[in-house]
Amino acid sequence: MSARSDIAPSTLGVELHDYGVEVEYIDNRTTVYRGVPEAVTGTLGTAPGKEVHVLVTDPTETEGVMMYVNDLKSHDDVLESSGVGRVILGEGEEEELFPGVLVRRVPGHRFEVEADPEVARGRVFVFVEDDWGEDSYEFVAE
């Protein structure tokens, strides 16, 4: 299978803790994005070469959907069995991942994410990571 296909997400379990955001995949594995997310409004720009994961919770904050942006490491079958979606964007392309959540690829292997939590009807988290570290952000109303 291709490692570069767009994949639709499934509903995942979500638990919000004081030490981070825990996600339970549909294959029952879990991961924790550690740290209290930094509040952001407007547009979030990423550094070049970072992995970008976008999580939108439902209004109860116990379920959500997650998309990986331009993930070229995970094969389709791995994402499908975990319930994580993926979108592949070329430079200059943008896509509305969920209502109220837009991501675009800008020059230099960077991304911009814009989100309106009221339109998304839940909390919107963005996790930006590489082999050296991880940053967590949450879009809040202006």
Side-chain angles (χ1 to χ4, degrees):
M1 294 197 141
S2 169
R4 295 181 182 213
S5 298
D6 287 355
I7 306 286
S10 297
T11 301
L12 308 175
V14 175
E15 284 189 55
L16 305 178
H17 303 286
D18 59 354
Y19 56 84
V21 178
E22 182 176 358
V23 177
E24 181 179 2
Y25 304 111
I26 61 175
D27 61 6
N28 296 319
R29 292 180 304 114
T30 61
T31 192
V32 176
Y33 292 93
R34 299 209 176 272
V36 175
E38 178 183 332
V40 294
T41 58
T43 301
L44 172 67
T46 69
K50 299 283 189 172
E51 295 178 22
V52 178
H53 304 169
V54 179
L55 171 68
V56 178
T57 71
D58 70 348
T60 69
E61 301 174 0
T62 60
E63 293 183 327
V65 286
M66 178 173 275
M67 293 288 287
Y68 288 178
V69 180
N70 278 43
D71 171 83
L72 302 178
K73 296 179 182 176
S74 305
H75 288 275
D76 292 4
D77 55 347
V78 172
L79 291 174
E80 290 167 352
S81 68
S82 71
V84 174
R86 175 177 51 212
V87 63
I88 302 293
L89 298 174
E91 191 169 304
E93 293 182 333
E94 67 180 34
E95 185 159 326
E96 185 175 47
L97 298 181
F98 311 106
V101 181
L102 179 75
V103 65
R104 75 179 59 82
R105 184 168 171 193
V106 295
H109 299 285
R110 298 172 181 262
F111 295 92
E112 293 180 342
V113 182
E114 295 177 4
D116 182 341
E118 291 181 21
V119 174
R121 297 183 42 222
R123 294 176 78 172
V124 180
F125 297 97
V126 179
F127 308 108
V128 180
E129 59 187 43
D130 62 13
D131 292 338
W132 300 102
E134 171 185 296
D135 296 308
S136 299
Y137 303 93
E138 179 179 2
F139 278 91
V140 296
E142 291 189 48

